[in-house]
Amino acid sequence: MTTTAIVARNLRVWRGDTAVLDGVDLRLMRGEALAILGASGAGKSTLLYALVGALGPRATVRAETLTILGRALEPSRVDLGPLRGAQVGLLPQDAAASLDPLWSVGRALREILQVLGVARAARATRAAALLAEVGLDARHDRARPHALSGGEQQRAALAMALAGDPALLLLDEPTSALDGDRARDLAALLRRIRAHRGMALLVVSHDHAFAASVCERVVTLVDGRLPPQPSASERSHEA
């Protein structure tokens, strides 16, 4: 099994004639947590969604190399196929928008488990375990998204992102709608989940304190580029 979760070399993204990312090199090892900071409009979220092929037809994506969990991808038409949902989880910035307003959280979660191939008899137990893992319970299972607080909606979306037991979890500005106490609660939750599951995290954030508390590496995107990153052996030596 490959030891890398993400390898991107000379990743470039244009929107029309405007270059948003200009030669990004990124390497994330399995089990590692990396945060990408940057000013508003720096292209942090663009980088995240370029990795999963979710930028839409108006964006042009190119790269010398793009590999996710050992699978080489064509950057101009990224198709994670069976990796998305199963091995790659995504927590979007707008958690509420990712939840179906007509379905209870539990029903939506069980539908995801069905798509992932979980046997019907096991779905309810598995859904309850996922909700408990993110700090929710049977009350939240029965609730529709509009009845939840913003923090609860985010935790519900996180449970869905974890449903496929991903080896890689991507998080887009997870604290943008949270106050300081809830951001610290989320950081503690992510540390526990990562320690239990051993998955890799890639976090896009504007919150340096949050990023530093969750990730062992923090880099800043400036003018569409990331600074040179040390190799795995160099990071091990530094540690």
Side-chain angles (χ1 to χ4, degrees):
M1 181 178 69
T2 178
T3 59
T4 56
I6 299 173
V7 178
R9 184 174 298 113
N10 197 24
L11 177 65
R12 299 172 182 271
V13 176
W14 294 266
R15 292 189 183 277
D17 295 329
T18 302
V20 182
L21 299 178
D22 185 19
V24 168
D25 293 331
L26 174 67
R27 180 179 291 268
L28 177 68
M29 308 305 292
R30 283 182 181 258
E32 186 181 21
L34 170 65
I36 299 177
L37 303 179
S40 178
K44 306 184 299 298
S45 295
T46 295
L47 171 57
L48 194 75
Y49 288 104
L51 295 172
V52 294
L55 287 179
R58 296 186 178 182
T60 302
V61 183
R62 298 284 186 271
E64 292 179 17
T65 301
L66 179 56
T67 303
I68 306 292
L69 298 173
R71 178 174 178 174
L73 303 172
E74 170 54 51
S76 63
R77 54 178 189 278
V78 173
D79 180 10
L80 291 178
L83 292 182
R84 182 178 290 173
Q87 296 183 53
V88 179
L90 173 65
L91 181 64
Q93 181 175 353
D94 188 354
S98 69
L99 304 174
D100 191 320
L102 300 180
W103 285 6
S104 70
V105 169
R107 179 181 175 185
L109 191 49
R110 289 186 287 275
E111 286 292 323
I112 292 172
L113 292 170
Q114 178 181 0
V115 171
L116 291 170
V118 176
R120 183 172 184 173
R123 288 174 207 155
T125 300
R126 176 66 177 146
L130 286 163
L131 290 176
E133 186 175 13
V134 299
L136 302 179
D137 56 29
R139 175 175 60 87
H140 303 97
D141 178 283
R142 296 187 296 269
R144 292 185 181 182
H146 72 271
L148 304 179
S149 69
E152 289 170 337
Q153 290 174 344
Q154 186 181 54
R155 287 175 183 245
L158 177 58
M160 294 174 191
L162 295 172
D165 195 19
L168 170 63
L169 180 63
L170 310 178
L171 301 99
D172 183 18
E173 295 282 9
T175 62
S176 61
L178 303 180
D179 60 26
D181 287 341
R182 287 183 173 82
R184 286 187 287 273
D185 289 345
L186 178 62
L189 174 62
L190 289 172
R191 289 194 299 269
R192 289 197 301 272
I193 290 173
R194 182 182 167 222
H196 174 67
R197 290 174 172 260
M199 61 187 177
L201 298 182
L202 181 62
V203 181
V204 161
S205 180
H206 65 280
D207 186 337
H208 191 281
F210 171 83
S213 71
V214 173
C215 303
E216 59 263 25
R217 278 204 297 145
V218 178
V219 296
T220 302
L221 187 67
V222 179
D223 295 331
R225 291 178 177 270
L226 290 175
Q229 300 170 61
S231 66
S233 61
E234 289 171 332
R235 294 198 295 273
S236 177
H237 179 71
E238 289 172 359

